[in-house]
């Protein structure tokens, strides 16, 4: 042959140097992602730091339900109502999206075949790509009158409206990830269980779900992260009024929506401006914790 | 291949001194000293957990990618201490490995076998065609797949994938071929055909044959080592080993199936 196997194991050829080069490039790209995240964190911390150090009363910030930053005499910076708004909407959204997305994932992954499956998968991807402002618009113009009609309440922009909208929004992404988790379960597990006489439901519930447990949990947690961070749809569908909700028909305001709505009208560097960045830091920390948890869960903290 | 004087046939291609392998502090194999000669078939028998697979992994430096795996001692292959050589990829391309569970790569049958030659720079279609046919024929697979070389290798049956794996290992034109329980997924008739091929291959390369079929070692190996619970109990001529010449009672027990 023209290319005999060499026994000179010390000779470093082009392939060897190529390998080292690729390792370096991959390392740099990996590191740069981390650098960007840290950069963003430093930026929002810097913008919000003045407020945290000088003006902020941490107890009041987290426990006061009054958010009145534009009051000229005694501005109030309490985000409890905003946290309640975000939490209630996200919670309701999960109640909507978990059954929907798990059901859809099981149907796509376990029951449908061939063209149906392909079609559904494309459809799900398509749903995931709808811009959030469109969802918010649907909440404003379709859900709003619908809720007023059905439940006979004065306003339709509420926890219920935003929860359903956000639930429908996160469902496609959760479906997509959950379906991947189900697909990652090897077929031989299913065959082994089927051969013992297990029904399809038993196979799914007793074998596939436990095997895909980490991936499914990860899907749900990513949905939570998405819910916390979503801005436009909740801004339009919640009613945007500072309020600790007593029922699902109460309008609320979300943390993210507050930043989006108010940042443009504040003077750069003012207390209000810095307070909004403090909310940003808080959101960043929450999403970071959720995503980290999701990541650890997906990997299955076996060694921890 | 450079044919040297017949004397060279007895030169050790691989020598192992005081080999000790552990995983995260847990010893898997220790105190192995042996030499494998050029153009011999060296059999390794022994029950599960004896350290046979770890032994093979240490030879082609798979420990680099196996977290927690630690190798101590000296392994010298073709004149190089494998621990200190500068290009581990060159070492691996000179050693063909067949793992117990068949791994048909997710590409066409043709590409599976043409992968190694392409990696080392063979580009001409004619050359590749020759290599692919040659290797598949030697692995006793050519007749079954010659009309569908462009279908996916991962879709073949288990036994066919195993022979594909063997063909792929041969396409490296290795100096050393390490087979780790290759016949697990292969039917007896095909196993016999592959065994015949191995006897021929011995002219061109050295073969380490790890097997849990004691009789397979008897049929093929020139010398056989018996591994048990992380140590090498005995190395002997296969002939004398199987004709009651084993020096260790445990070896005799294992060979005769009176074990445990």
């Amino acid at each position: 042959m023209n290319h005999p196997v060499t026994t000179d194991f010390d000779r470093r050829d082009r392939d060897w140097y190529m390998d080292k080069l690729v390792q370096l490039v991959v390392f740099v790209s990996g590191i740069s992602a981390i650098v960007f995240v840290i950069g963003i964190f430093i930026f929002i911390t810097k913008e919000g730091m003045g407020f945290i150090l000088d003006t902020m009363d941490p107890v009041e910030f987290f426990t006061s339900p009054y958010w009145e930053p534009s009051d000229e005499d005694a501005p109030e910076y309490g985000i409890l109502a905003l946290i309640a708004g975000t939490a209630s909407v996200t919670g309701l959204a999960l109640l909507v999206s978990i059954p929907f997305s798990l059901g859809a994932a099981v149907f796509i992954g376990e029951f449908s075949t061939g063209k149906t499956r392909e079609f559904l998968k494309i459809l799900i991807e398509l749903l995931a790509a709808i811009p959030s402002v469109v969802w918010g618009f649907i909440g404003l113009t379709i859900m709003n009158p619908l809720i007023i009609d059905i439940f006979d309440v004065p306003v339709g922009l509420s926890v219920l409206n935003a929860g359903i909208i956000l639930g429908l929004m996160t469902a496609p992404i959760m479906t997509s990830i959950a379906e991947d988790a189900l697909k990652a379960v090897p077929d031989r597990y299913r065959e082994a269980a089927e051969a013992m006489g297990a029904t399809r439901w038993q196979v799914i519930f007793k074998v596939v779900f436990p095997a895909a447990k980490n991936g499914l949990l990860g899907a749900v947690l990513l949905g939570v992260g998405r819910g916390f961070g979503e801005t436009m749809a909740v801004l339009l569908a919640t009613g945007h009024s500072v309020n600790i909700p007593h029922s699902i028909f109460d309008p609320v305001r979300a943390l993210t929506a507050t930043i989006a709505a108010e940042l443009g009208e504040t003077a750069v560097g003012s207390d209000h401006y810095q307070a909004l960045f403090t909310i940003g830091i808080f959101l960043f920390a929450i999403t970071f914790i959720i995503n980290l948890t999701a990541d650890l869960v997906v990997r299955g903290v076996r060694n921890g | 291949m450079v044919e040297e004087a017949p004397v060279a046939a007895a030169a050790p291609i691989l020598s192992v001194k005081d080999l000790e392998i552990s995983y995260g502090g847990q010893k898997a194999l220790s105190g192995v000293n042996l030499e494998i000669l050029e153009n011999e078939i060296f059999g390794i028998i022994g029950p599960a957990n004896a350290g046979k697979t770890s032994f093979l992994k240490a030879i082609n430096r798979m420990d680099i990618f196996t977290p927690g795996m630690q190798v101590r001692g000296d392994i010298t292959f073709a004149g190089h201490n494998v621990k200190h050589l500068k290009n581990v990829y060159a070492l691996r391309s000179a050693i063909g490995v067949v793992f117990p569970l068949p791994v048909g790569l997710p590409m066409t049958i043709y590409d599976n076998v043409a992968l190694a030659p392409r990696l080392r720079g063979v580009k001409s279609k004619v050359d590749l065609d020759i290599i692919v046919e040659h290797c598949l024929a030697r692995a006793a697979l050519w007749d079954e797949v010659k009309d569908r070389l462009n279908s996916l290798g991962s879709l073949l049956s288990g036994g066919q994938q195993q022979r594909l794996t063997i063909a792929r290992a041969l396409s490296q034109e290795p100096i050393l071929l390490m087979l780790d329980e290759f016949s697990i997924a292969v039917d007896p008739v095909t196993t016999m055909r592959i065994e015949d091929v191995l006897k021929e291959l011995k002219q061109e390369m050295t073969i380490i044959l790890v097997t849990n079929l004691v009789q397979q070692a008897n049929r093929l190996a020139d010398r056989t080592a018996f591994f048990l619970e992380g140590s090498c109990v005995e190395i002997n001529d296969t002939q004398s080993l199987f004709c009651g010449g084993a020096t260790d009672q445990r070896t005799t027990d294992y060979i005769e199936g009176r074990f445990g």
Side-chain angles (χ1 to χ4, degrees):
Chain A
M1 282 300 148
N2 303 326
H3 304 269
V5 171
T6 173
T7 53
D8 184 1
F9 303 140
D10 289 329
R11 202 194 52 156
R12 289 174 171 168
D13 48 8
R14 224 184 65 217
D15 292 338
W16 191 90
Y17 285 106
M18 189 65 192
D19 185 58
K20 282 284 173 254
L21 182 71
V22 170
Q23 280 183 30
L24 184 73
V25 170
V26 170
F27 176 76
V28 169
S29 343
I31 284 295
S32 68
I34 297 167
V35 168
F36 287 137
V37 172
I38 292 175
I40 291 169
F41 182 73
I42 290 175
F43 171 71
I44 58 170
T45 314
K46 204 184 95 221
E47 294 296 303
M49 216 49 192
F51 176 78
I52 294 177
L53 293 178
D54 303 332
T55 323
M56 186 175 87
D57 173 356
V59 179
E60 188 204 308
F61 189 71
F62 286 109
T63 58
S64 161
Y66 302 108
W67 176 261
E68 285 157 9
S70 25
D71 191 315
E72 289 192 3
D73 301 325
E76 294 245 25
Y77 300 103
I79 63 166
L80 185 65
L82 309 181
I83 295 176
T86 291
S88 57
V89 170
T90 309
L92 186 64
L94 285 180
L95 286 185
V96 173
S97 61
I98 290 174
F100 265 126
S101 53
L102 276 192
V106 168
F107 183 73
I108 296 174
E110 304 289 317
F111 288 97
S112 63
T113 48
K115 282 214 172 109
T116 329
R117 186 191 169 112
E118 288 310 307
F119 177 71
L120 284 173
K121 287 190 74 162
I122 293 171
L123 204 65
I124 293 287
E125 307 280 315
L126 206 66
L127 279 176
I130 295 179
S132 62
V133 67
V134 173
W135 284 108
F137 192 68
I138 293 173
L140 205 58
T141 58
I142 299 176
M143 294 286 293
N144 185 24
L146 216 58
I147 290 174
I148 293 176
D149 274 359
I150 296 173
F151 297 102
D152 196 22
V153 286
V155 224
L157 298 175
S158 56
V159 175
L160 179 66
N161 189 333
I164 292 174
I165 289 294
L166 193 57
L168 294 179
M169 247 184 95
T170 48
I173 297 155
M174 281 167 66
T175 305
S176 201
I177 297 170
E179 203 256 330
D180 285 343
L182 295 179
K183 215 169 64 187
V185 177
D187 273 340
R188 54 203 162 85
Y189 290 7
R190 294 185 184 85
E191 283 168 13
E194 274 162 16
M196 290 187 296
T199 64
R200 290 190 83 179
W201 168 242
Q202 287 168 330
V203 171
I204 292 167
F205 199 68
K206 297 277 186 197
V207 176
V208 178
F209 273 7
K213 188 183 64 201
N214 291 337
L216 295 177
L217 264 173
V220 170
L221 281 172
L222 281 176
V224 178
R226 183 80 208 272
F228 258 86
E230 175 49 39
T231 308
M232 210 52 199
V234 290
L235 173 64
L236 294 174
T238 50
H240 202 57
S241 77
V242 182
N243 185 19
I244 292 184
H246 297 287
S247 83
I248 53 170
F249 298 110
D250 284 348
V252 289
R253 187 195 271 205
L255 289 161
T256 48
T258 308
I259 301 179
E262 294 178 4
L263 194 58
E265 292 156 17
T266 58
V268 175
S270 66
D271 278 356
H272 186 188
Y273 173 89
Q274 294 187 345
L276 290 177
F277 266 97
T278 308
I279 295 181
I281 298 170
F282 179 65
L283 274 172
F284 187 94
I286 296 279
T287 2
F288 182 73
I289 290 169
I290 291 171
N291 280 341
L292 191 70
T293 319
D295 196 47
L296 291 178
V297 165
V298 169
R299 277 198 246 148
V301 238
R302 289 185 207 89
N303 314 322
Chain B
M1 291 289 147
V2 183
E3 286 297 327
E4 289 185 28
V7 192
I13 182 99
L14 181 83
S15 71
V16 175
K17 278 202 186 72
D18 302 322
L19 181 69
E20 185 179 305
I21 302 170
S22 54
Y23 294 93
Q26 189 89 25
K27 247 178 219 167
L29 188 66
S30 62
V32 178
N33 287 288
L34 55 83
E35 286 191 334
I36 293 173
L37 308 178
E38 223 169 304
N39 296 38
E40 81 169 326
I41 298 185
F42 188 84
I44 298 178
I45 55 172
N49 272 326
K52 301 172 301 214
T53 302
S54 300
F55 178 70
L56 299 189
K57 277 178 145 185
I59 291 175
N60 75 340
R61 295 300 315 275
M62 295 293 263
D63 57 303
I64 296 178
F65 297 138
T66 311
M69 181 174 175
Q70 275 202 318
V71 180
R72 272 185 289 272
D74 292 313
I75 299 174
T76 311
F77 174 67
H80 296 262
N81 186 326
V82 297
K83 203 186 286 174
H84 303 305
L85 45 84
K86 290 184 179 134
N87 190 344
V88 71
Y89 306 109
L91 168 77
R92 288 182 185 162
S93 45
I95 300 177
V97 189
V98 175
F99 295 108
L101 287 178
V103 184
L105 294 173
M107 48 179 87
T108 66
I109 296 171
Y110 184 95
D111 288 341
N112 259 282
V113 186
L115 180 63
R118 278 176 178 148
L119 287 183
R120 65 170 190 266
V122 180
K123 286 201 183 70
S124 122
K125 173 88 174 123
V126 184
D127 285 349
L128 286 173
D129 284 349
I130 294 170
I131 296 174
V132 168
E133 176 170 355
H134 184 68
C135 295
L136 283 172
R138 289 197 126 173
L141 188 60
W142 175 252
D143 290 336
E144 287 165 55
V145 300
K146 65 181 173 202
D147 299 322
R148 50 185 178 124
L149 289 173
N150 285 320
S151 61
L152 270 182
S154 43
L155 295 181
L156 292 173
S157 77
Q160 287 173 328
Q161 281 196 41
Q162 188 62 290
R163 282 177 278 156
L164 180 63
T165 314
I166 294 173
R168 214 171 50 209
L170 293 179
S171 74
Q172 287 176 238
E173 293 176 22
I175 299 168
L176 173 66
L177 180 65
M178 307 198 293
L179 300 150
D180 192 356
E181 299 181 356
F182 77 90
S183 51
I184 272 185
V186 186
D187 67 90
V189 179
T190 314
T191 304
M192 286 304 170
R193 283 169 69 189
I194 297 175
E195 285 187 8
D196 288 341
V197 172
L198 293 180
K199 283 176 202 157
E200 276 175 42
L201 280 175
K202 198 172 109 161
Q203 312 297 324
E204 299 161 35
M205 59 187 77
T206 311
I207 299 173
I208 300 179
L209 176 78
V210 167
T211 177
N212 48 12
L213 304 173
V214 172
Q215 285 312 314
Q216 188 170 60
N218 188 14
R219 286 193 294 270
L220 293 177
D222 298 304
R223 291 187 304 147
T224 298
F226 174 53
F227 279 32
L228 178 68
E229 289 168 359
S231 61
C232 176
V233 172
E234 176 165 6
I235 303 170
N236 214 329
D237 254 18
T238 308
Q239 285 247 295
S240 46
L241 212 56
F242 281 84
C243 299
T247 51
D248 196 296
Q249 185 58 35
R250 288 173 293 176
T251 316
T252 321
D253 287 353
Y254 184 74
I255 288 172
E256 292 175 1
R258 284 188 272 111
F259 205 75

